[in-house]
Amino acid sequence: MPRLASEVTEADVRVGRRIRALRLERNLGLIDVAQRAGISVGALSQIERGLSSLRVRVLWPLAAALDVEPHSLLVDGADQESDLYCVRSANRRVLPVWSEGIRKELLSPPGATLTGLLVYIEPGGGTAEAYAHAGHEFGLVRTGEVELTIDNVLYTLKAGDSFAFKSTLRHSFCNTGSQPCEIVWVNTVKPSEVRNGA
């Protein structure tokens, strides 16, 4: 039975957020997970919202549906590996990259509207060619320097410089300096749609 707002505990809310974060990380819908776990969509929704406690009889099938160990669904106050709103630095996910000398770490939690990335570009690294896609992007160069080409115009950016543009404009980037470059890069597309780091 759903509980009154006054009966909702912080532990139940955190467990619900953990479960929802794990589900979103796997790109699974409520119906998918509920069917796999053998529970109703309504029951899963209430658990995710912290309106219902996670029962022991549901713990094992729900963990199996999410392909995790049962203990990972339970939240210790200090352990927030999967969360809807925060990403701990030690738990950043590394995204696949198809260009050499680039590393991307996902800064935004699952389900976030914006995709935040920490993009590392080694000297000589960069995109193989210019590309475009839907959305908008913003970036802040934290260290090093990068040559960013937007709509055939070349910009040389150094630490502290920032940029923003429509992603539909063809763009590319390259680190022509001697030091690694680090950029905080924000997109309005999902991580699966982000190509080489932009």
Side-chain angles (χ1 to χ4, degrees):
M1 289 287 294
R3 293 171 297 177
L4 299 172
S6 59
E7 298 174 313
V8 173
T9 69
E10 182 180 340
D12 286 336
V13 170
R14 284 184 179 275
V15 167
R17 288 179 181 170
R18 166 75 61 87
I19 291 168
R20 183 161 187 250
L22 289 167
R23 178 173 63 77
L24 293 173
E25 282 175 4
R26 288 153 179 74
N27 295 314
L28 295 171
L30 277 168
I31 294 172
D32 299 320
V33 174
Q35 286 178 341
R36 290 181 187 185
I39 61 175
S40 71
V41 173
L44 178 57
S45 175
Q46 287 179 0
I47 291 169
E48 286 193 357
R49 290 181 292 150
L51 299 177
S52 177
S53 293
L54 180 61
R55 307 277 183 232
V56 174
R57 63 180 173 78
V58 176
L59 176 65
W60 293 90
L62 193 52
L66 293 168
D67 194 28
V68 296
E69 292 296 323
H71 68 83
S72 67
L73 299 183
L74 305 175
V75 180
D76 176 326
D79 175 22
Q80 298 172 13
E81 186 174 330
S82 294
D83 190 88
L84 276 179
Y85 306 117
C86 300
V87 176
R88 304 293 175 177
S89 61
N91 298 323
R92 288 185 199 140
R93 212 173 80 200
V94 176
L95 299 180
V97 178
W98 295 277
S99 290
E100 299 227 359
I102 300 173
R103 175 183 167 92
K104 297 185 295 183
E105 294 181 3
L106 186 60
L107 298 175
S108 48
T113 302
L114 298 174
T115 298
L117 302 167
L118 196 53
V119 179
Y120 299 94
I121 314 164
E122 295 297 325
T127 52
E129 58 189 30
Y131 60 99
H133 52 86
H136 295 264
E137 38 205 289
F138 165 83
L140 169 67
V141 181
R142 290 184 58 186
T143 62
E145 62 182 66
V146 65
E147 287 190 352
L148 175 64
T149 302
I150 306 168
D151 199 24
N152 295 315
V153 176
L154 175 67
Y155 300 89
T156 301
L157 303 173
K158 298 185 178 183
D161 294 340
S162 56
F163 57 86
F165 58 91
K166 287 184 179 180
S167 307
T168 52
L169 299 172
R170 289 185 62 76
H171 53 281
S172 62
F173 58 89
C174 181
N175 179 354
T176 57
S178 59
Q179 302 295 320
C181 178
E182 182 181 285
I183 304 173
V184 174
W185 207 307
V186 180
N187 279 272
T188 57
V189 297
K190 297 297 177 196
S192 58
E193 300 167 343
V194 176
R195 264 193 60 187
N196 294 309

